[in-house]
Amino acid sequence: MTRVEVLKVIQEHYNYQKYLEIGIKSRFTFDQIECKFKVGLDIRGACKPTYGAMSSDEYFANEKYKDEQFDLVFIDGDHNKEQVEKDINNSLKRLLPNGTIVLHDMNPPNKDHFHENLCGDGWEAFAKLRTTRKDLNMFCIPDDLGVGIIQRGSQELYEEEIKSDWDFFKKHKNEIMKFVEFNKITRNLV
């Protein structure tokens, strides 16, 4: 299953109408999501972001857009764990009460995919929330390099220390990322 299919299942399940995508790149995902209000962010102007080329940090800090809220946010921009953490935290502040955040690249298939131009270490930002935020409902679909899902709700925390290496991730990823099969998405939503 693909990230687009995951997004569409969630969007249709809740009939979401306000969508934010961080990192629209080729617009492949952005153009397939049907919502009344859509904002696409990217630092590259060539992909025609909604408000011109800007980073997600610039968008979230801009007073002009401070009142924009979303029920569905897709994060697939900078794959660095620090940036992914900022994007999640900023998105949570703009998320409507029953909203959902979806992240791509949460299941690197091998050590080479830890490279920043592939999946990077963004999975660690998701994993950190699995160790600290009881007030969130979090799980991942393992397909399409891993699609993470975050909602307000509740979860049992992962209680071990997160280590930034392939061997740790490979051994503990099922418990850390809380993998769920694609056909069980809706029964794991809040």
Side-chain angles (χ1 to χ4, degrees):
M1 296 300 129
T2 68
R3 68 204 105 164
V4 173
E5 291 170 297
V6 171
L7 285 161
K8 284 184 173 186
V9 163
I10 294 169
Q11 190 271 330
E12 290 170 8
H13 180 75
Y14 293 107
N15 192 30
Y16 286 154
Q17 293 302 315
K18 295 180 177 184
Y19 177 70
L20 170 65
E21 183 168 321
I22 299 171
I24 60 172
K25 298 177 184 116
S26 67
R27 300 180 62 94
F28 175 79
T29 304
F30 187 77
D31 289 342
Q32 293 189 64
I33 304 303
E34 296 180 21
C35 288
K36 290 178 182 173
F37 178 70
K38 292 171 47 170
V39 174
L41 304 176
D42 207 293
I43 58 172
R44 297 165 288 219
C47 56
K48 299 180 182 168
T50 306
Y51 302 125
M54 77 171 73
S55 71
S56 55
D57 289 344
E58 292 172 305
Y59 168 77
F60 287 118
N62 193 320
E63 284 293 310
K64 185 176 180 180
Y65 311 116
K66 70 178 173 61
D67 293 328
E68 291 183 350
Q69 293 185 302
F70 303 93
D71 21 50
L72 184 58
V73 177
F74 179 51
I75 300 173
D76 193 18
D78 186 327
H79 292 76
N80 175 289
K81 66 183 170 187
E82 290 83 10
Q83 186 60 49
V84 173
E85 184 174 358
K86 284 198 272 185
D87 286 341
I88 292 170
N89 289 328
N90 284 325
S91 295
L92 282 167
K93 292 173 188 170
R94 299 285 189 90
L95 198 63
L96 289 164
N98 295 315
T100 303
I101 297 171
V102 177
L103 301 98
H104 189 231
D105 298 307
M106 297 290 107
N107 187 22
N110 56 50
K111 187 176 183 175
D112 292 339
H113 276 76
F114 271 34
H115 189 276
E116 64 187 33
N117 291 332
L118 298 172
C119 294
D121 59 3
W123 68 272
E124 288 186 54
F126 185 93
K128 182 178 177 182
L129 292 176
R130 288 270 301 120
T131 68
T132 59
R133 296 285 303 265
K134 286 184 178 181
D135 64 323
L136 298 176
N137 175 46
M138 300 175 65
F139 62 96
C140 282
I141 308 304
D143 307 324
D144 193 14
L145 299 175
V147 182
I149 296 160
I150 301 173
Q151 300 176 302
R152 290 181 186 91
S154 64
Q155 67 178 339
E156 288 186 32
L157 297 180
Y158 178 80
E159 297 188 3
E160 303 298 321
E161 178 185 351
I162 304 298
K163 296 181 183 169
S164 300
D165 66 70
W166 169 249
D167 292 332
F168 173 82
F169 180 76
K170 183 179 175 183
K171 183 176 180 181
H172 300 283
K173 67 181 181 177
N174 289 327
E175 299 85 18
I176 297 168
M177 307 311 281
K178 194 177 167 188
F179 287 123
V180 169
E181 295 174 27
F182 175 78
N183 63 356
K184 295 181 180 169
I185 289 176
T186 55
R187 69 179 94 149
N188 283 277
L189 296 171
V190 175

